[in-house]
Amino acid sequence: MLIQITLGSALVLASILVAGISYWLMEVVLSRLHPWLAKRPHKPKLVLVLCMTAVWVLAQMTVGVWIWALALRGLGIFVHLEEAVYFALVAFTTLGFGDVLLPVEWRLLAGIAATNGLLNIGLTTALMLDSLRSIRAGQMGPDV
């Protein structure tokens, strides 16, 4: 049990580290684009930022799923990589079909992966809202 909790915690930390770095990189990109985004027309640029952020979030979530899948495959829990990715995706998104399960000795990892997915979804939702809020605030500046 302690091994599962330790390993699961390490995977959560790795996933959150990826999310944090992703968030920082998104801020760098948006700050560099700020002068252009602040100029009119605003609405098409908001749509662009929304689409860009959504793709960015999807990529960050995909990396989180792959971290879990590679760890599960590396531990020999799944024979095939596709099965490990499928399980990680289903657990990470808390969809939980239950058609692919972890062996009893590793089942705590399923709950930790689901918790990690919930946490990442919350963080990425905050990223999307903060990005749009920041851009919109810059657009409402003195030149509007």
Side-chain angles (χ1 to χ4, degrees):
M1 180 173 80
L2 187 57
I3 291 172
Q4 291 180 75
I5 293 172
T6 303
L7 178 62
S9 297
L11 292 170
V12 168
L13 288 174
S15 176
I16 298 304
L17 179 63
V18 166
I21 291 169
S22 175
Y23 184 76
W24 173 72
L25 288 172
M26 176 63 98
E27 279 192 341
V28 168
V29 168
L30 290 176
S31 68
R32 289 189 179 165
L33 291 175
H34 180 73
W36 177 74
L37 290 169
K39 294 179 186 175
R40 292 184 183 271
H42 297 310
K43 290 188 189 326
K45 293 175 185 175
L46 280 176
V47 171
L48 175 66
V49 169
L50 177 64
C51 293
M52 182 179 84
T53 305
V55 170
W56 199 291
V57 164
L58 181 61
Q60 180 261 310
M61 293 288 285
T62 301
V63 171
V65 168
W66 275 96
I67 288 170
W68 277 88
L70 292 173
L72 294 171
R73 177 64 185 96
L75 288 168
I77 295 172
F78 293 109
V79 176
H80 303 288
L81 183 59
E82 187 272 337
E83 192 176 30
V85 171
Y86 175 77
F87 176 84
L89 180 62
V90 168
F92 211 76
T93 59
T94 68
L95 190 57
F97 283 138
D99 55 340
V100 176
L101 301 172
L102 293 179
V104 173
E105 62 272 12
W106 292 107
R107 68 181 171 189
L108 288 178
L109 288 178
I112 296 171
T115 302
N116 190 180
L118 281 172
L119 185 57
N120 273 28
I121 289 169
L123 287 171
T124 56
T125 300
L127 165 66
M128 291 179 76
L129 290 174
D130 187 52
S131 298
L132 292 172
R133 183 206 50 80
S134 175
I135 297 304
R136 191 66 184 138
Q139 291 176 342
M140 300 301 287
D143 66 352
V144 175

